[in-house]
Amino acid sequence: MATKIFFAPMAGVGDSAFRTICMRHGCDGVTSEMISAKATVFGDKKTMELARRTNEEVPFSLQIFGSEPDIMAKGGKILADASKPDFIDINMGCPVNKIVKNSEGSALMKSPSLVYEIVSRVTEAVYPIPVSVKIRLGFDTEHINAVEVALMAEKGGAKRVTVHGRTRSQLYAPPVNLDVIREVKEALKCEVIGNGDIKDPESAKHMLDVTGCDHLMIGRGALGSPWIFREIKAALSGEEIPKRPVGQELYDEIVSHLDLAVSLKSERQAIMESRAQIAWYVKNMKGAAKIRQKINYAATKEEVKEILKDII
């Protein structure tokens, strides 16, 4: 089985435009920003907008979050019927306080029995669409229970489990514990995806070598570098790693991303949300600070394009 490389769900960052750009650079599948199952059930309009995708986003997973089995099942069913995703993914790894304080996201890892109940109810509700789960190592270093939680998810019907190699208490601080991801892989029969600090071909290969996981998932490593997917795939295939775009080629890449964002949203919204994306693209470039500053005051797509000519 060939290793696949997926783009991780990233709230506020992984919108449809960026996911599509990742697909164009060799990504093997994307996941939506996390969507509240409860908001979905109550008909929140903005929530349903998060489920939209382009025709290029295939395969596509919709990620839901919540803590009530009934609501998770109903929300998952609504989204499955509306968007016809390839997977419904359940968020059990988000570490941010506003999610955790509601007993959602990584807080679910405190209750493996609840994990089973949620996964089994969602699996039944969205059938025949398969269900996947994204977890962390545990809630904190004193409670590393990824294997137990992953087994309960698999028992509940999950066909894939993604493991982010940190605890909730770590947030995104180092280190990533690959040994626990390996333990999950050894314990499960379903596919296991390794996630955490994959930022180049070397770290990708190290993840595979140490954990034996089936596939990889990249989040922050793709920000400003959506070509990381083709780089890693080339390296794993023993091929020459493509050179990263610079100058005119980089300009064309950023403009393509911007044009796509504007086509999917209002120009104003796309410009505002693209500011962070452009900052990542130019991060290590000479004059990056000046470009970022100018773009923060740009109001139209054409203004942004004119500012970006500085990188040619």
Side-chain angles (χ1 to χ4, degrees):
M1 177 175 58
T3 298
K4 295 180 180 178
I5 310 171
F6 302 105
F7 176 61
M10 299 189 75
V13 176
D15 63 1
S16 185
F18 188 62
R19 297 193 305 261
T20 299
I21 295 297
C22 288
M23 292 298 299
R24 292 176 182 177
H25 285 284
C27 180
D28 290 306
V30 295
T31 304
S32 71
E33 299 173 73
M34 64 181 189
I35 299 173
S36 168
K38 183 173 288 186
T40 301
V41 170
F42 286 100
D44 180 72
K45 184 178 179 182
K46 185 178 179 181
T47 293
M48 293 307 294
E49 289 176 357
L50 291 173
R52 293 179 182 173
R53 57 165 164 166
T54 65
N55 292 333
E56 295 178 65
E57 294 179 73
V58 180
F60 175 69
S61 298
L62 272 174
Q63 188 185 73
I64 59 174
F65 73 94
S67 61
E68 302 163 88
D70 283 347
I71 295 294
M72 291 289 278
K74 290 177 183 177
K77 175 63 173 172
I78 291 169
L79 289 166
D81 289 344
S83 189
K84 300 294 189 294
D86 300 284
F87 267 86
I88 290 289
D89 189 67
I90 301 175
N91 184 313
M92 297 186 180
C94 180
V96 301
N97 286 330
K98 68 178 182 179
I99 300 297
V100 171
K101 73 179 182 181
N102 290 326
S103 300
E104 300 167 339
S106 55
L108 292 174
M109 297 197 69
K110 293 180 177 182
S111 180
S113 60
L114 180 58
V115 168
Y116 168 76
E117 190 174 356
I118 289 173
V119 176
S120 60
R121 291 294 301 279
V122 173
T123 297
E124 181 180 8
V126 305
Y127 182 83
I129 296 173
V131 171
S132 57
V133 177
K134 192 168 190 288
I135 67 174
R136 285 189 168 229
L137 303 182
F139 198 76
D140 52 41
T141 53
E142 287 73 42
H143 302 89
I144 293 179
N145 63 342
V147 172
E148 180 184 9
V149 169
L151 284 169
M152 294 300 275
E154 184 178 56
K155 182 180 177 182
K159 302 302 182 185
R160 281 179 179 166
V161 175
T162 299
V163 187
H164 182 120
R166 293 182 173 90
T167 63
R168 183 269 165 174
S169 60
Q170 281 182 269
L171 299 178
Y172 296 97
V176 169
N177 188 329
L178 301 185
D179 292 333
V180 177
I181 299 178
R182 184 187 68 247
E183 292 171 9
V184 173
K185 170 58 186 170
E186 292 172 347
L188 268 59
K189 297 181 178 67
C190 70
E191 293 182 335
V192 173
I193 302 172
N195 174 229
D197 275 6
I198 301 173
K199 56 186 181 297
D200 50 38
E202 290 75 26
S203 53
K205 189 174 187 303
H206 184 62
M207 171 75 80
L208 290 169
D209 289 344
V210 174
T211 69
C213 61
D214 300 289
H215 307 297
L216 302 173
M217 182 171 281
I218 301 174
R220 291 178 300 156
L223 299 180
S225 305
W227 30 83
I228 190 173
F229 300 97
R230 71 184 184 196
E231 292 174 348
I232 292 173
K233 292 173 86 170
L236 295 179
S237 300
E239 301 171 2
E240 183 178 355
I241 298 174
K243 291 183 179 180
R244 293 198 164 192
V246 295
Q248 181 68 52
E249 188 179 357
L250 178 60
Y251 172 85
D252 292 342
E253 290 279 3
I254 301 174
V255 167
S256 176
H257 184 166
L258 180 63
D259 285 341
L260 180 57
V262 170
S263 74
L264 296 171
K265 307 172 183 180
S266 68
E267 183 173 22
R268 181 177 181 276
Q269 182 183 4
I271 296 302
M272 291 182 66
E273 294 179 0
S274 293
R275 288 170 180 166
Q277 297 281 7
I278 293 171
W280 282 311
Y281 278 117
V282 303
K283 183 177 180 181
N284 297 314
M285 188 180 305
K286 183 179 179 180
K290 186 177 180 181
I291 292 173
R292 290 197 303 269
Q293 185 179 35
K294 287 182 178 180
I295 286 175
N296 285 338
Y297 294 97
T300 68
K301 181 175 69 172
E302 294 309 315
E303 286 181 55
V304 174
K305 289 182 179 181
E306 189 63 32
I307 294 167
L308 288 173
K309 288 181 179 177
D310 287 349
I311 71 177
I312 299 176

